[in-house]
Amino acid sequence: MKKRYQRKEKSIEELMDGILSGDRVTLAQAITLVESNSIRHFEKAQALIQAILPYRKKTIRIGITGVPGAGKSTFIDTFGTYLTEQNLKVAVLAVDPSSKVSKGSILGDKTRMERLSRNQNAFIRPSPSGGTLGGVSRKTRETLLLCEAAGYDVILVETVGVGQGEFVVRSMVDFFLLIVLTGAGDELQTMKKGIMELPDLVVVNKADGDNISKAEKAKNEFNTILHFLKSYTEGWETKAVTASALKETGISDIWKIIQQFQETTEKTGVFEKRRKEQQLEWMHEMIKEQLERMFYEHPEIKEILPIYEQEVISGQKTVASTVLQLVNRFSNR
Amino acid sequence: MKKRYQRKEKSIEELMDGILSGDRVTLAQAITLVESNSIRHFEKAQALIQAILPYRKKTIRIGITGVPGAGKSTFIDTFGTYLTEQNLKVAVLAVDPSSKVSKGSILGDKTRMERLSRNQNAFIRPSPSGGTLGGVSRKTRETLLLCEAAGYDVILVETVGVGQGEFVVRSMVDFFLLIVLTGAGDELQTMKKGIMELPDLVVVNKADGDNISKAEKAKNEFNTILHFLKSYTEGWETKAVTASALKETGISDIWKIIQQFQETTEKTGVFEKRRKEQQLEWMHEMIKEQLERMFYEHPEIKEILPIYEQEVISGQKTVASTVLQLVNRFSNR
């Protein structure tokens, strides 16, 4: 069995050749390797990524979020199709922190992006399922690198407006787009704290038919809020616009805004600076995650931690002395 | 020399007796012990805190923040004096993440709270200087416990609207008050991202003289923003009010709102739940801080980290493999 499997498995060189030549099947296989939790696959995936790093295309990475029902899939279907009509290759990835619970992500689901999924210049990959948010984040970031080596020009990273997904996606993209519906106030009440401070553009979707005047009103409301908040990107003012993914209106304007954003931030150096900072942040985030994992999975710590927690809550022990005892136990292992 | 010093230094029992009897000099000495960076003092301070924990009074902990110039000191001077007139004992503490740089905090400066500093029912302690934000946070939290054992009813924790101070203070208080001036939009542009999502009450200060109508306008603007944002405290709607610390108007209303907050959240259990959660969060924050300190101060890590960072930025190494190498080096020490 093992031998047969090994014969079928592509070598790093074969994978690399396939990716660089734009072969979608090989790209999908490489992503599966990246998403694997086995140690052997991890090492092979790392060697592959390292090999393809110099061959990546210049891209724009766009994060897309919004509450469920805001029309993310329809928007990506329409927007992605528009981009391919501009002779651009589009990859759609997804980060779904809830996929562990719901067993299988609904993000990046090809059936929800009907036109785009049949498009030869588009590549759709659903969210890796299972694992920690940090693990999902690593897999998506590495998949993004593979797509850039495979010649995709625009990488769309989709996430839902729940959990920590938006913050993770914000930290791996150049441009962040928030899709909302009419009724800004009510909607924001259901959204996560801090979300309004992340986007580079707010799109009020479903601005069509009877909904147009409501959408315009919502746009103005969002612009009022945005005026009061600090922009996420230095030298760029976040604004709200209306669009209809269904009726395909406002889509080319959004792409113009994104191009303008890229031009502006490349001129000021903010674009390149952000990418470098994102790399280092990711590295230090992973270090922290690994350190905490080592601590909290340590058998002795696992056993005594709940007892110590109770003693702290009940006031039998001070926080500082308890922490010192725990960390000393851990480091003397 | 050592003997003479030991003779002068109070024992844990003496410190405890002094604190519980409300002696301000002993309280100040105990806080100095808590703020000390020596290991012997640390252990003694922990034993003291553990001893006084059961004797703490039921209190309300109020965080106060605002940009420099918003009138925090005058507000605390007026508000604190008002509270003592209601037969309450008031302690004023400060968290200043910038004090490390500026060498000595301007927060909690007694000369800036003239009336309160002469009041026998008030106790003012400036921010502990130096050390990490985590260290400052621990010292302030422990000082807060000592003040509660010393019979203070209201603990005011002041911080400036820069750095991470507001987030640290938010995580140690029951109620959080943001002091602002007129011109909401301009002011918010200079404030930290996310700040508007922290307070339980926004006070537009300096609503006096020619400024009254401008202050009313600002209040309405802030209420508009707050309407769009999610309240920090479950079951409590954050609102904006006007006040003048100088003319002493609106002060009693603020105290009524805080009392109403305490009543409401105690009834729903949110008050007690928050305090318990804050204890555990503090503990896990300290664990993370200690783990990171151990890692980043490790001699070998210190040496190789900058090289590894460069290799990651330049694309010679992948993030995941680099992190794994670093963490393995650390854990095999």
Side-chain angles (χ1 to χ4, degrees):
Chain A
M1 272 302 275
K2 205 182 165 199
K3 212 171 171 186
R4 222 178 116 192
Y5 177 61
Q6 282 181 329
R7 219 188 302 156
K8 279 172 81 184
E9 198 178 294
K10 281 183 180 148
S11 70
I12 293 173
E13 291 68 31
E14 285 169 326
L15 287 168
M16 188 172 162
D17 287 347
I19 291 169
L20 296 186
S21 69
D23 177 44
R24 292 149 60 106
V25 174
T26 309
L27 175 59
Q29 287 168 340
I31 296 173
T32 303
L33 189 70
V34 155
E35 290 178 354
S36 164
N37 291 319
S38 104
I39 291 170
R40 192 176 62 84
H41 288 164
F42 174 82
E43 281 164 5
K44 190 171 175 185
Q46 293 307 312
L48 173 65
I49 295 161
Q50 202 155 317
I52 57 91
L53 276 179
Y55 298 97
R56 286 172 303 138
K57 217 173 171 173
K58 191 191 150 190
T59 60
I60 177 115
R61 304 167 182 170
I62 304 171
I64 296 176
T65 194
V67 291
K72 283 187 298 296
S73 304
T74 314
F75 179 83
I76 293 172
D77 199 27
T78 302
F79 185 57
T81 303
Y82 170 83
L83 293 174
T84 60
E85 287 161 2
Q86 316 302 310
N87 286 320
L88 294 166
K89 285 182 75 185
V90 180
V92 181
L93 314 179
V95 171
D96 185 359
S98 65
S99 67
K100 199 168 68 173
V101 185
S102 65
K103 280 175 185 164
S105 170
I106 52 149
L107 289 181
D109 183 347
K110 292 182 188 182
T111 59
R112 284 161 58 248
M113 299 170 189
E114 227 185 296
R115 276 190 300 167
L116 204 59
S117 62
R118 284 183 273 108
N119 192 318
Q120 278 303 304
N121 286 317
F123 179 84
I124 303 176
R125 182 82 183 193
S127 176
S129 60
T132 61
L133 186 56
V136 169
S137 156
R138 173 188 63 81
K139 291 167 185 175
T140 308
R141 282 173 192 267
E142 293 177 351
T143 299
L144 195 152
L145 299 174
L146 294 176
C147 290
E148 290 183 339
Y152 290 90
D153 305 281
V154 183
I155 320 287
L156 304 177
V157 188
E158 182 189 11
T159 193
V160 276
V162 293
Q164 294 293 310
E166 308 94 306
F167 300 96
V168 170
V169 171
R170 173 73 266 191
S171 72
M172 62 173 78
V173 297
D174 308 309
F175 188 92
F176 199 57
L177 196 154
L178 172 66
I179 301 180
V180 294
L181 292 173
T182 53
D186 298 339
E187 198 172 349
L188 273 174
Q189 290 288 339
T190 72
M191 286 166 88
K192 253 198 94 67
K193 269 197 264 286
I195 179 86
M196 273 309 288
E197 281 145 351
L198 300 180
D200 295 306
L201 179 67
V202 174
V203 175
V204 182
N205 193 18
K206 303 191 184 175
D208 44 44
D210 295 345
N211 212 31
I212 289 182
S213 66
K214 264 169 81 183
E216 281 296 321
K217 192 170 166 278
K219 182 189 83 175
N220 293 336
E221 286 179 334
F222 276 105
N223 274 325
T224 302
I225 306 168
L226 290 167
H227 169 75
F228 284 120
L229 299 173
K230 205 169 175 175
S231 279
Y232 189 88
T233 303
E234 198 190 320
W236 177 260
E237 199 182 338
T238 302
K239 286 199 170 157
V241 296
T242 56
S244 166
L246 198 69
K247 300 290 178 194
E248 301 177 25
T249 56
I251 301 300
S252 63
D253 287 339
I254 291 170
W255 179 233
K256 268 185 210 133
I257 291 169
I258 296 172
Q259 285 178 301
Q260 203 190 317
F261 173 91
Q262 186 166 13
E263 207 181 295
T264 308
T265 54
E266 275 180 353
K267 214 174 278 171
T268 57
V270 167
F271 191 92
E272 192 54 29
K273 190 168 152 254
R274 172 172 290 169
R275 285 214 173 173
K276 281 191 178 166
E277 283 171 356
Q278 285 178 343
Q279 281 281 95
L280 288 183
E281 271 169 37
W282 174 23
M283 180 172 156
H284 290 281
E285 274 309 308
M286 266 193 89
I287 288 173
K288 285 177 199 176
E289 197 186 89
Q290 289 299 318
L291 291 174
E292 284 171 40
R293 192 188 51 74
M294 279 164 61
F295 178 84
Y296 287 107
E297 287 181 0
H298 190 267
E300 201 182 330
I301 298 296
K302 257 172 138 169
E303 205 183 302
I304 57 175
L305 189 61
I307 305 160
Y308 280 41
E309 283 185 336
Q310 276 313 311
E311 288 173 339
V312 161
I313 290 179
S314 65
Q316 287 169 266
K317 273 187 174 176
T318 71
V319 169
S321 62
T322 306
V323 169
L324 214 68
Q325 282 177 39
L326 282 166
V327 173
N328 283 341
R329 285 248 214 161
F330 170 70
S331 68
N332 294 332
R333 74 195 176 286
Chain B
M1 272 303 274
K2 205 184 167 198
K3 211 171 173 188
R4 222 178 114 193
Y5 177 62
Q6 280 183 329
R7 220 188 303 155
K8 280 173 79 183
E9 197 179 294
K10 281 182 181 152
S11 69
I12 294 173
E13 291 70 29
E14 284 168 327
L15 288 168
M16 188 172 163
D17 288 347
I19 291 168
L20 295 186
S21 69
D23 177 44
R24 290 149 60 107
V25 174
T26 309
L27 175 60
Q29 288 168 340
I31 296 172
T32 303
L33 189 71
V34 156
E35 290 178 353
S36 165
N37 291 320
S38 104
I39 290 169
R40 192 176 62 84
H41 288 165
F42 174 82
E43 281 163 5
K44 191 172 173 184
Q46 294 306 313
L48 174 65
I49 295 160
Q50 202 155 318
I52 57 91
L53 276 180
Y55 298 98
R56 286 173 304 138
K57 217 172 169 173
K58 191 191 150 190
T59 60
I60 177 116
R61 304 167 182 170
I62 304 171
I64 297 176
T65 195
V67 290
K72 282 188 299 295
S73 304
T74 313
F75 179 83
I76 293 172
D77 200 26
T78 302
F79 185 56
T81 304
Y82 171 82
L83 293 175
T84 59
E85 287 162 2
Q86 316 303 309
N87 286 319
L88 294 166
K89 287 183 75 184
V90 180
V92 181
L93 313 179
V95 171
D96 186 359
S98 65
S99 67
K100 198 167 67 172
V101 186
S102 65
K103 280 175 186 164
S105 170
I106 53 149
L107 288 181
D109 184 347
K110 292 181 188 182
T111 60
R112 285 160 59 248
M113 299 169 189
E114 228 184 296
R115 276 190 299 167
L116 204 59
S117 63
R118 285 183 272 108
N119 192 318
Q120 279 303 305
N121 285 317
F123 179 84
I124 303 175
R125 182 82 183 193
S127 177
S129 60
T132 60
L133 186 56
V136 168
S137 156
R138 174 188 62 81
K139 290 167 185 175
T140 308
R141 283 172 192 267
E142 292 177 351
T143 299
L144 196 151
L145 299 176
L146 294 176
C147 291
E148 291 184 338
Y152 290 90
D153 305 283
V154 182
I155 320 288
L156 304 177
V157 188
E158 184 189 10
T159 193
V160 277
V162 293
Q164 295 293 311
E166 309 93 308
F167 299 96
V168 170
V169 171
R170 174 73 267 191
S171 72
M172 62 172 78
V173 296
D174 308 309
F175 188 91
F176 199 57
L177 196 154
L178 172 67
I179 300 180
V180 294
L181 293 172
T182 53
D186 298 338
E187 197 172 349
L188 272 175
Q189 291 288 338
T190 72
M191 287 165 88
K192 253 199 93 68
K193 267 197 265 284
I195 178 87
M196 272 310 288
E197 281 145 349
L198 300 181
D200 295 305
L201 179 67
V202 174
V203 175
V204 183
N205 193 17
K206 303 191 183 175
D208 44 44
D210 295 345
N211 213 31
I212 288 182
S213 66
K214 265 168 79 183
E216 282 295 322
K217 192 170 166 279
K219 182 189 83 175
N220 293 335
E221 286 179 334
F222 275 106
N223 273 325
T224 302
I225 306 166
L226 290 167
H227 170 74
F228 285 120
L229 300 173
K230 205 169 175 175
S231 280
Y232 189 88
T233 303
E234 196 191 319
W236 177 259
E237 199 183 337
T238 302
K239 286 199 169 157
V241 296
T242 57
S244 167
L246 198 69
K247 300 290 178 194
E248 303 178 24
T249 55
I251 302 299
S252 63
D253 287 339
I254 291 170
W255 179 233
K256 267 184 212 135
I257 291 169
I258 296 173
Q259 285 178 301
Q260 203 189 319
F261 172 91
Q262 187 166 11
E263 207 181 295
T264 308
T265 54
E266 276 180 351
K267 213 174 278 170
T268 56
V270 167
F271 191 92
E272 191 54 31
K273 188 167 153 256
R274 172 173 289 169
R275 285 214 173 173
K276 281 191 178 167
E277 282 171 356
Q278 285 178 342
Q279 281 280 95
L280 289 183
E281 271 170 36
W282 175 21
M283 179 171 155
H284 291 283
E285 273 309 308
M286 267 193 88
I287 287 173
K288 284 177 197 174
E289 196 186 90
Q290 290 298 319
L291 291 174
E292 284 171 39
R293 192 189 51 73
M294 278 164 60
F295 177 83
Y296 287 107
E297 287 181 1
H298 190 267
E300 201 182 329
I301 298 296
K302 257 171 138 168
E303 205 182 301
I304 58 175
L305 189 61
I307 305 160
Y308 279 41
E309 283 184 336
Q310 275 314 310
E311 288 173 339
V312 162
I313 290 178
S314 66
Q316 287 169 265
K317 273 186 174 177
T318 71
V319 170
S321 62
T322 306
V323 169
L324 213 67
Q325 281 177 40
L326 283 166
V327 173
N328 283 340
R329 285 250 213 159
F330 170 70
S331 68
N332 294 332
R333 72 194 178 287

